[in-house]
Every structure is written in C-alpha cells, then in structure tokens.
Amino acid sequence: MDDFTRKFFPKIYRRKQAHLNETDYCKYDNQVLTLFTSSLYFSALVFTFAASHVTRSKGRRASILVGSVAFFIGGVVNAAAVNIFMLILGRVFLGIGIGFANQAVPLYLSEMAPSKIRGAVNQLFQLTTCLGILVANFINYGTEKIHPWGWRLSVGLATVPATLMFVGGLFLPETPNSLVEQGRLQEGREVLEKVRGTKNVDAEFTDLIEASEAAKAIKHPFRNLLQRKNLPQLIIGALGIPAFQQLTGNNSILFYAPVIFQSLGFGDNASLYSSAISSGALVVGALISMALVDKFGRRAFFLEAGAEMVFCMVAVGITLALNFGQGETLSKGISIFLVIAIFLFVMAFGRSWGPLGWLVPSELFPLETRSAGQSMVVCVNMIFTALVAQFFLISLCHLRYGIFLLFACLIVIMSIFIYFLLPETKQVPIEEVYLLWENHWFWKKIIRNGDENGLEMKSGQQA
C-alpha cells in the first residue's frame, strides 16, 4: 500500500513511483522490507523451543492460549506503529504466536482425530490458515482505499482472530495423549471416550499408557531425537518435509503476490485482486486434500501435485524469459496466462506440500519425542521460511526468470525424496506408526543396525 510504503519504506515508494509504468524484477529489492517480512519467522523459530516445553509439561491447550495472547499483542503493536522498530516488534510478537500455535495445533488435531479421518481433521489447520490468507487479501483490498490509515486497520484486525482463538481455547478439552502424559489417567480416558463416541477404547487407551510410560523414561527428548531408532522421523519429519515445504517456492509467491504482480505490470488494485485469486486456490486445494487424502494417501498427493507444480513453474519461467524484463508492460494475454499458471501451482501446493507438510510430521513421532519433534518441524520450517522471505526478492532481481526454474528443480528433488523414503501413513493409528519403519526397505536396515549395536553395548556393559 502506498500509504504504508511512504511512511516506513520511503526509498521503495520513490523507486516505485519513478518506475510506475515499468516492469522491473528489482523494483522491490530492499533488505529492510524483507526483514519486516522475515522477522516474524526468525521469532517463531526461536520461541518454538519454549513452546515445546509448555506443550509437553502443561499441555497442547496451554500453548494454544499463549499463542493467541502473543498474536493479540502483535496486532496491537503493529496497528500503533510509528517507526520501523515498533513495526518489527509487532512482527516478533506475531512470530511468538506462530511458534506456539504451529507447535501445538497440528499435534492437537492429530491426537484428537480417529486414525481413519486423521488426515482430514489435521488439515483443518491448513484449511483455516488458507481461509485466513484469503480473508486477509480481501481486507487489504478494502483498506487500501482508506487513506492514510487503512494499513493500520489491516494489521490491527489480526486481534480479531487472536481473540477468537483465545476464547475458543478456553473451552477446548486437553488431548487424551497429553492428559495421560501428565498422569491424569481418568481424565484422559473420559476425553478419549467422548471424542471417540464409545466406551470401547481399551486398546487405544492401553497404547496411550504404554507410550506415556516410554515418554516418561525420556529425560532429554531433543537428544533422544538423535538416536538411531529415531533417524527416520528426524530426517523425514523434522528436517526434510518442513524444509522442502518452503523450497517449493509457494510461500514466496504468497508473501509477495502483490509485489510480483505489480512487478509484472499489474496495477495496485489488480495485484491485490490477483493475489486474492492465488489465496483462493489455496482454499480449493485444501478442500480437495481434506476430502481425498485419507482415501488416496499422502504419497499420492505429494507425487501427483509435485509433477503439476514442476510443469507450472517451468511454464512461468519460460514465459517470463521470452516476454518480460525489457521495461515493457506484459500483454493482457500473457498476464492472464501467468495468473492461471500461478493459480494452478498454488492449488497443487494447497492439496499437497501445504497441508501435508504439517500433517505427515505430526503423525511420525512417537509420544516420547512428539513435542520435541514438532518443535524441530516448526523451527526448520521457520528457518527456511525466513531465509526464502529474506532472499526471494534479491534472488528475483538477480536470477530473474531463473528463480522459477530453480524452484522447479527443487520440486523434482523433493518428489524423489518422498518416493523413496516416505512410507504411507494413511489410517495407521498414531501410536503404531513406528512399525512402518521396521517394514520399510531402507529404514529397517538403519533401525536394525542401531538395535544390534545397542544390544552389543548393553551385553558388553553387563559382562
């Protein structure tokens, strides 16, 4: 918004006005602007470790409440901002909210859901995130017309969902897994019976107790993640999937959709409208994934959508290479084609790496390392989110259309990673997922070698 950039980023505002009718890859290349975006994610990756302790010791619900309070404070500070410091401080509080909420909510949903529909229930997290992005784009579209304080209303309205999140959190029951972990067995069984709708929960409740006993034996869950038996979860769930989710390039498009479309020659209103279209694609993708992921499985969505994303990124890269960068506005036909290609790309992400990037890691970890594992997921996700946010605009400036071809190559690599290393987790009870590693062609060798080494060390100690 011009009022926002004029106040906080005057150099960008002057550069934009000077090249108002030109297309330019480098128009928005400014590290202070990208720091404004990425500061939220740097904050989130730091505070997710505090969230891990709260989630494990106080419960998933407690982290959700802390996150909502941080979101509210961040919205207030940003709305009242008079300088860059206040603006970034507000973003830091929003980052604290993300650190706590992203740590707790996927765990909460996975632990509450029956295994047959766990995928669909967990993806409510992604669906509501996508709906939030869509609503935010329409809010920006409306508040952009309110001069000169429309941007304050835009960022200040973050307090509304924060309030709803806090009030809703007050009425949430704690998950049975967390209650058992805290030693509140009777409460845990009552909640389990309530959410399953039956008294016949003996088998599942026994699994929870056994998992809890194993968890209590673990004094240092983060250190336990490094054990050989947990390498599949660490490599796939905590490192690979959250990093790759950001390297698809989707969040770059979502963060900077107005900037990208303005750089491609769209006007201010058209850019916001176009970014709203891409946000709508996320919602459509999330709905498709919710409806079908428990039927067709996680791997099928990763691989099918990955192929579509590669095609779209290559199409965008080639189109820009042939038609963009000479200071001329793109033709209407080329612009429409780019919007359609980006829409299809975002919709593919919205049914694959978007929701599954949170669903699959939340399914992989055993109870004893689940909270620590989810913190690693959020931390790695935020590191790569921040890095991509920090360097996307400068990369767009220097690599030009090549940035889209680079993302296409990365998607090919991550699809190969999924094909060979990720077993199918659909409809597998969450406390039995560890059995998948014992039957996987690659991971069973790693785990068995670790078990043999552990037995040899134990025998030697006894001798």
Side-chain angles (χ1 to χ4, degrees):
M1 298 180 186
D2 284 346
D3 293 322
F4 180 80
T5 54
R6 185 189 299 116
K7 182 174 182 63
F8 295 105
F9 306 101
K11 289 183 179 178
I12 294 178
Y13 176 76
R14 290 193 294 271
R15 189 190 306 169
K16 176 183 172 183
Q17 297 304 311
H19 302 87
L20 194 62
N21 297 316
E22 294 183 16
T23 56
D24 182 7
Y25 283 109
C26 302
K27 190 185 297 185
Y28 292 89
D29 178 20
N30 181 281
Q31 289 302 293
V32 179
L33 174 63
T34 51
L35 178 62
F36 164 69
T37 298
S38 59
S39 59
L40 182 148
Y41 302 100
F42 286 122
S43 171
L45 72 88
V46 171
F47 281 92
T48 186
F49 293 105
S52 173
H53 174 73
V54 174
T55 301
R56 192 179 190 207
S57 61
K58 304 298 182 183
R60 287 56 166 152
R61 179 172 167 267
S63 283
I64 292 173
L65 292 173
V66 172
S68 64
V69 172
F71 279 130
F72 187 90
I73 295 173
V76 170
V77 173
N78 272 348
V82 295
N83 53 43
I84 287 289
F85 173 77
M86 285 187 68
L87 205 62
I88 293 180
L89 179 64
R91 296 284 287 181
V92 168
F93 274 104
L94 294 176
I96 296 172
I98 286 182
F100 276 85
N102 283 19
Q103 211 277 343
V105 174
L107 290 187
Y108 187 93
L109 294 171
S110 287
E111 291 180 345
M112 281 298 220
S115 59
K116 290 184 178 180
I117 58 169
R118 187 173 63 241
V121 172
N122 186 278
Q123 288 188 58
L124 287 169
F125 175 70
Q126 178 71 8
L127 175 64
T128 49
T129 300
C130 297
L131 287 171
I133 294 171
L134 180 62
V135 170
N137 273 296
F138 281 115
I139 288 174
N140 286 339
Y141 185 75
T143 57
E144 194 268 340
K145 301 177 180 2
I146 304 174
H147 302 286
W149 52 270
W151 66 269
R152 294 189 186 275
L153 178 62
S154 177
V155 297
L157 283 174
T159 57
V160 175
T163 302
L164 294 174
M165 182 176 171
F166 181 81
V167 174
L170 294 176
F171 293 95
L172 285 177
E174 188 53 81
T175 70
N177 311 60
S178 181
L179 291 170
V180 170
E181 194 175 18
Q182 296 173 51
R184 298 154 64 183
L185 300 184
Q186 185 58 36
E187 291 180 62
R189 185 178 180 97
E190 290 173 359
V191 173
L192 186 62
E193 291 175 353
K194 184 176 181 179
V195 296
R196 297 294 181 261
T198 177
K199 297 284 186 180
N200 186 22
V201 295
D202 291 343
E204 185 174 1
F205 190 65
T206 300
D207 284 344
L208 293 184
I209 292 176
E210 291 176 354
S212 176
E213 290 173 351
K216 289 177 181 177
I218 304 300
K219 301 301 181 184
H220 305 285
F222 283 99
R223 190 183 304 168
N224 188 258
L225 279 173
L226 301 176
Q227 291 185 3
R228 196 177 185 115
K229 68 175 183 179
N230 291 321
L231 281 182
Q233 298 96 309
L234 176 67
I235 293 172
I236 297 177
L239 301 177
I241 290 178
F244 285 146
Q245 186 192 50
Q246 301 311 313
L247 294 176
T248 58
N250 182 76
N251 274 356
S252 301
I253 291 174
L254 291 181
F255 291 159
Y256 299 111
V259 170
I260 290 173
F261 285 116
Q262 285 179 4
S263 294
L264 298 182
F266 292 76
D268 288 353
N269 290 342
S271 70
L272 285 170
Y273 182 68
S274 300
S275 63
I277 291 175
S278 62
S279 303
L282 269 184
V283 176
V284 174
L287 289 171
I288 293 172
S289 190
M290 282 184 65
L292 300 176
V293 73
D294 286 312
K295 179 179 180 181
F296 292 106
R298 286 62 162 149
R299 282 168 51 85
F301 271 82
F302 271 129
L303 298 174
E304 176 276 327
E308 183 178 330
M309 292 162 71
V310 170
F311 176 81
C312 291
M313 275 296 185
V314 170
V316 171
I318 292 175
T319 301
L320 293 179
L322 296 175
N323 299 280
F324 182 69
Q326 286 77 42
E328 299 178 1
T329 302
L330 292 171
S331 68
K332 184 176 181 180
I334 295 296
S335 298
I336 291 174
F337 173 79
L338 288 173
V339 171
I340 292 173
I342 290 175
F343 177 89
L344 292 175
F345 173 87
V346 173
M347 188 167 67
F349 175 88
R351 67 176 183 272
S352 60
W353 282 95
L356 300 184
W358 296 108
L359 166 62
V360 174
S362 73
E363 297 177 319
L364 298 184
F365 296 97
L367 183 61
E368 63 263 27
T369 59
R370 190 168 298 152
S371 180
Q374 186 65 18
S375 282
M376 285 293 294
V377 172
V378 176
C379 178
V380 173
N381 188 292
M382 292 301 113
I383 287 173
F384 279 85
T385 303
L387 290 174
V388 170
Q390 190 69 27
F391 293 108
F392 175 73
L393 288 180
I394 191 172
S395 299
L396 180 66
C397 177
H398 292 284
L399 296 178
R400 299 157 67 85
Y401 62 85
I403 188 69
F404 299 99
L405 300 179
L406 174 61
F407 283 132
C409 293
L410 290 172
I411 296 169
V412 171
I413 293 172
M414 61 187 71
S415 296
I416 294 172
F417 174 88
I418 292 295
Y419 181 81
F420 285 106
L421 297 181
L422 179 68
E424 183 54 66
T425 57
K426 71 171 182 178
Q427 300 185 7
V428 178
I430 195 168
E431 303 301 347
E432 297 179 11
V433 169
Y434 74 94
L435 296 172
L436 297 175
W437 313 118
E438 298 178 3
N439 297 302
H440 189 269
W441 71 273
F442 176 77
W443 294 118
K444 65 182 180 182
K445 302 173 187 176
I446 305 294
I447 294 173
R448 287 173 184 172
N449 288 339
D451 290 342
E452 290 170 3
N453 293 336
L455 288 172
E456 289 173 3
M457 290 178 62
K458 188 174 181 181
S459 299
Q461 290 171 352
Q462 290 174 345

